[in-house]
Amino acid sequence: MLNGQKRWLYIAVPIFFFWFFGQIDKVGISIIQTDPEFLHALGMTGADKNAKIGLLSFVFTIAYGVSNLFWGFIIDKLGARKTAIAGLFVWTITMITSGLSNSYEMFLISRIILGFGEGMMIPVSGKLISNWFNKRELGRAQASWLTGNYLGPAMGAIFLVLVISLLHWQAAFFMLAAFNLFINIPMFIFMTRNTPEEHPRITKEELAFIRQTDDVIKETATSENKKSFAQDYRFWIVWFGMLVCSFLFFGISIWLPTYLIEAKGFEKEGMSSITSLSWLFALGFVLACGFLADKTRRPSLMATILFSLTAVFLTVAVFIPNPILAGLCMGLAMGCQGGVFHLSNMLMVKYSTPETAGRAAGLIGFTNIMGGFSSYIMGWLRDLSGGDFSSSIAMLIFTALLGLTAYLFSIKRESAELRLSPIHVQKIQA
């Protein structure tokens, strides 16, 4: 059973749950912030309440983005496994302190610490996937953990609404702490290792397959491919694209539940359904992009198309009068950015090596800092406009066009590389 495929069990499964519960920790605040009792208990009322709400995500993503740079170097030195275990213990503690918070300031501090602890998620995942998977299966490997990235919030939206309705907003945080303590941490302790060479259950045949692409690339790489990722302008296009993607994705996902309730008049049940569906849209785009990127080998072209669709969906959401269709368009725009996030991580692995993957992923992860600016600016714009979302969405449309423009500079190079690609590299899995 699973002969020659154990990397999918020992690495892909723990990373899936790593992101499944980690994303509920991260974006669950978008659901919890719609609870009036939560807002009243922590003093988020008055004329500046939207700015206060936005500040929660702002401080989290600042800590998350900055710590990505720190964790990237730590992972390259100490290994992904120990780093993940340490970060998971930090999450568990911050979930408990969040539930015990009795002031806005205390809760704000807990979000900063959570952001620091979760900042290692992208570098850890990038490092493990770079070490454990054949270059020709990166799309599927990335999709396996990004599935958790979106399925977690999709199911978490319904779960959190149910817990808050039946119990209390504090219970939601305590349950999230329990998930980490009893599921995530044991998985990383007992199932994972930093490299397949260290794992006692990986056969020589599977190890040979994992490392096969490395030999092919050595034979076919050009001098430019041997350069450091930091010297490749295409890596910085991906980096800028991720800045834009983070701004869009966090801006939409953090404010979507509030948008549905306050701007479109949904009840909590309808809000949770649309929010959950939006995360499933993102999951669908991730799975489709993982498959198509491996088949077409045109991730930059796909990212360009996704930024275009994001601008279209956001524009339709502004002008369409039907609240359900407007909500679905916002969800589809968020889904498109889920696809861009997946493609960006694929390209990050492509432009780096197993030795530098942690640092490259740290730089990519740093772009999440823009999500904090997005959530705070949207809250600030809402306060200025009396709670209206139009100016915020217009800002997101302009941002999507910036991402589209950036990726246009890499399409021609990508097409030329595809034409010059050696036949035996294309047929490595034939």
Side-chain angles (χ1 to χ4, degrees):
M1 185 177 181
L2 289 176
N3 188 33
Q5 302 290 326
K6 290 184 178 178
R7 60 195 178 279
W8 296 100
L9 172 64
Y10 294 123
I11 297 300
V13 171
I15 289 180
F16 168 81
F17 285 103
F18 186 52
W19 282 85
F20 183 90
F21 293 117
Q23 282 299 95
I24 301 177
D25 291 352
K26 186 186 302 181
V27 303
I29 188 64
S30 67
I31 300 293
I32 296 172
Q33 72 189 27
T34 65
D35 180 44
E37 189 174 347
F38 167 74
L39 298 177
H40 179 74
L42 298 184
M44 286 180 279
T45 57
D48 63 344
K49 77 167 189 176
N50 291 302
K52 284 185 175 180
I53 293 172
L55 186 61
L56 294 177
S57 296
F58 175 75
V59 297
F60 169 85
T61 51
I62 293 295
Y64 184 85
V66 172
S67 67
N68 265 266
L69 298 175
F70 166 79
W71 287 120
F73 286 98
I74 295 299
I75 289 168
D76 283 337
K77 298 294 184 182
L78 299 182
R81 179 171 173 264
K82 289 182 179 178
T83 305
I85 294 169
L88 285 166
F89 274 110
V90 173
W91 300 2
T92 304
I93 294 170
T94 54
M95 286 297 101
I96 295 172
T97 57
S98 294
L100 295 175
S101 296
N102 55 15
S103 70
Y104 179 75
E105 291 74 20
M106 182 177 177
F107 191 82
L108 200 68
I109 292 172
S110 74
R111 298 303 291 178
I112 295 172
I113 299 173
L114 178 64
F116 179 81
E118 290 196 353
M120 51 74 186
M121 291 179 73
I122 293 177
V124 162
S125 302
K127 185 74 170 181
L128 287 173
I129 286 174
S130 179
N131 284 339
W132 273 84
F133 291 91
N134 183 285
K135 291 288 185 182
R136 298 296 297 165
E137 58 186 5
L138 289 179
R140 281 170 289 159
Q142 294 280 10
S144 69
W145 64 268
L146 285 172
T147 300
N149 186 48
Y150 301 108
L151 190 59
M155 298 179 65
I158 298 173
F159 168 77
L160 289 173
V161 168
L162 184 63
V163 169
I164 294 171
S165 299
L166 296 179
L167 299 172
H168 194 268
W169 64 267
Q170 292 171 311
F173 288 106
F174 297 146
M175 287 188 178
L176 291 174
F179 290 146
N180 281 329
L181 187 61
F182 296 111
I183 298 177
N184 274 338
I185 292 175
M187 276 192 165
F188 271 89
I189 291 175
F190 297 110
M191 294 178 67
T192 66
R193 297 294 185 273
N194 290 323
T195 65
E197 287 85 353
E198 298 174 18
H199 206 293
R201 296 186 180 275
I202 300 301
T203 64
K204 292 181 180 179
E205 291 76 15
E206 184 170 2
L207 179 60
F209 174 76
I210 292 170
R211 299 301 179 220
Q212 183 179 9
T213 303
D214 294 342
D215 295 334
V216 174
I217 288 178
K218 285 180 182 178
E219 295 173 5
T220 60
T222 65
S223 59
E224 286 197 10
N225 287 335
K226 295 177 182 178
K227 293 191 301 185
S228 166
F229 70 87
Q231 296 176 284
D232 193 330
Y233 76 92
R234 293 170 300 172
F235 174 83
W236 296 108
I237 289 177
V238 175
W239 186 83
F240 179 79
M242 269 297 290
L243 278 178
V244 173
C245 176
S246 298
F247 193 90
L248 290 166
F249 190 84
F250 278 95
I252 298 172
S253 63
I254 293 298
W255 284 103
L256 180 60
T258 304
Y259 168 81
L260 293 172
I261 289 177
E262 297 187 8
K264 297 301 177 182
F266 283 86
E267 298 294 331
K268 283 195 173 182
E269 292 75 13
M271 174 274 289
S272 65
S273 298
I274 295 290
T275 301
S276 180
L277 185 59
S278 299
W279 286 99
L280 291 177
F281 284 152
L283 174 59
F285 276 99
V286 165
L287 296 177
C289 287
F291 174 79
L292 292 174
D294 281 345
K295 291 296 182 182
T296 67
R297 300 170 64 194
R298 297 298 305 271
S300 294
L301 176 61
M302 292 171 61
T304 306
I305 295 171
L306 289 174
F307 275 120
S308 302
L309 289 175
T310 301
V312 171
F313 286 131
L314 289 173
T315 302
V316 173
V318 171
F319 292 103
I320 197 167
N322 187 291
I324 295 179
L325 292 179
L328 290 176
C329 283
M330 292 291 288
L332 285 167
M334 190 175 90
C336 287
Q337 291 309 299
V340 173
F341 179 75
H342 176 40
L343 294 170
S344 299
N345 280 278
M346 283 184 60
L347 290 167
M348 178 275 297
V349 175
K350 176 182 176 180
Y351 297 140
S352 64
T353 65
E355 293 74 25
T356 62
R359 278 164 282 175
L363 284 169
I364 291 292
F366 175 76
T367 61
N368 283 279
I369 198 170
M370 292 304 294
F373 285 99
S374 177
S375 62
Y376 181 73
I377 293 171
M378 288 185 70
W380 178 70
L381 288 174
R382 285 199 68 210
D383 287 334
L384 285 182
S385 57
D388 186 69
F389 274 94
S390 297
S391 57
S392 298
I393 297 176
M395 174 188 66
L396 296 179
I397 294 171
F398 174 76
T399 305
L401 295 177
L402 290 178
L404 163 65
T405 303
Y407 266 99
L408 288 175
F409 290 96
S410 63
I411 292 178
K412 184 177 179 180
R413 175 73 173 275
E414 182 179 77
S415 178
E417 283 186 345
L418 186 60
R419 289 195 302 270
L420 295 173
S421 179
I423 295 176
H424 68 280
V425 173
Q426 295 180 16
K427 294 184 177 180
I428 191 171
Q429 290 184 316

